Amino acid sequence: MKTLIIYATKHGFAEKCSKLLKDKLSGEVITVNIKKDTMPNISSFDKIIIGGSIYMGKIRKEINKFCTENLDALKSKKLGLFICGMQKDNIETEIATSFPNDLLTHASVKESFGGEFILKNMNPLERFIIKMVAKTKSDVSSISEESIDKLARIMDAL
Ligand SMILES: Cc1cc2nc3c(=O)[nH]c(=O)nc-3n(C[C@H](O)[C@H](O)[C@H](O)COP(=O)(O)O)c2cc1C
């Protein structure tokens, strides 16, 4: 069984999660940074996992575009979806607005892997927003290994 993990990241957290996820999955697993890597032909994969980080309520636009453009092909795959974000209150809504409805219904698992704020990696505007909105003055990391484990377990069992 071949699995493809497609992710989009701005500051590296979704990449970190994708690599952790890769190590937990069995069989051949390939990770693709949608912005940097060449996309392989998705028809040669049995399982596809797609995820990315959320900024101002929206998933990275490359993920949105990829999902919309490859809807039919993705609906024929065993599918898992994930988001990365610091919001804990409305995870369901963030997941629901991050992917096309058809994929949300088709996916076998949808998880949030948590997120992190690393202030030195942010641009000045991001730092300002985070200080004002999240009232954070220092780095915070909140990775949900439990959710990564769960997604890996469900995808492995398919
Ligand atoms: C300017 C800004 C806006 C953000 N907006 C959201 C948001 O709307 N919802 C959320 O859950 N997390 C939000 N986050 C948190 C990011 O999703 C989190 O930092 C994540 O770990 C980033 O992942 P990345 O490094 O892969 O891009 C925001 C972070 C920044 C800096």
Side-chain angles (χ1 to χ4, degrees):
M1 282 284 196
K2 278 176 77 178
T3 305
L4 178 63
I5 303 174
I6 301 164
Y7 66 88
T9 184
K10 190 167 183 193
H11 294 304
F13 183 80
E15 178 161 72
K16 192 190 322 184
C17 293
S18 299
K19 302 223 155 126
L20 281 172
L21 176 62
K22 176 183 179 173
D23 292 341
K24 290 175 194 286
L25 290 162
S26 51
E28 188 185 343
V29 185
I30 295 190
T31 54
V32 168
N33 179 331
I34 200 165
K35 239 181 147 174
K36 288 192 183 156
D37 301 329
T38 308
M39 184 63 69
N41 188 343
I42 59 175
S43 64
S44 61
F45 292 86
D46 311 290
K47 302 178 186 184
I48 301 205
I49 300 169
I50 305 174
S53 44
I54 308 282
Y55 286 82
M56 312 304 274
K58 293 209 164 100
I59 197 156
R60 308 260 73 212
K61 63 177 184 308
E62 299 84 6
I63 290 295
N64 204 284
K65 187 167 179 277
F66 179 82
C67 289
T68 312
E69 287 177 356
N70 294 279
L71 206 53
D72 288 337
L74 292 170
K75 276 162 65 183
S76 71
K77 302 289 175 186
K78 290 166 177 148
L79 186 69
L81 303 171
F82 71 88
I83 61 165
C84 296
M86 288 299 273
Q87 280 273 8
K88 293 199 171 72
D89 301 338
N90 55 348
I91 289 174
E92 297 296 313
T93 312
E94 284 199 330
I95 292 176
T97 51
S98 292
F99 301 97
N101 275 335
D102 279 6
L103 293 192
L104 289 163
T105 336
H106 176 71
S108 303
V109 53
K110 294 159 260 184
E111 285 295 315
S112 169
F113 290 167
E116 69 184 9
F117 290 137
I118 309 287
L119 296 169
K120 73 169 167 35
N121 292 343
M122 293 178 192
N123 65 42
L125 177 62
E126 287 179 327
R127 246 190 319 268
F128 176 75
I129 294 170
I130 292 314
K131 281 181 182 162
M132 297 304 284
V133 179
K135 315 253 183 275
T136 298
K137 290 204 184 92
S138 49
D139 295 350
V140 190
S141 191
S142 167
I143 187 164
S144 174
E145 293 243 13
E146 209 178 284
S147 301
I148 301 177
D149 280 345
K150 183 177 169 195
L151 192 141
R153 220 178 324 111
I154 293 174
M155 289 304 292
D156 263 353
L158 294 174

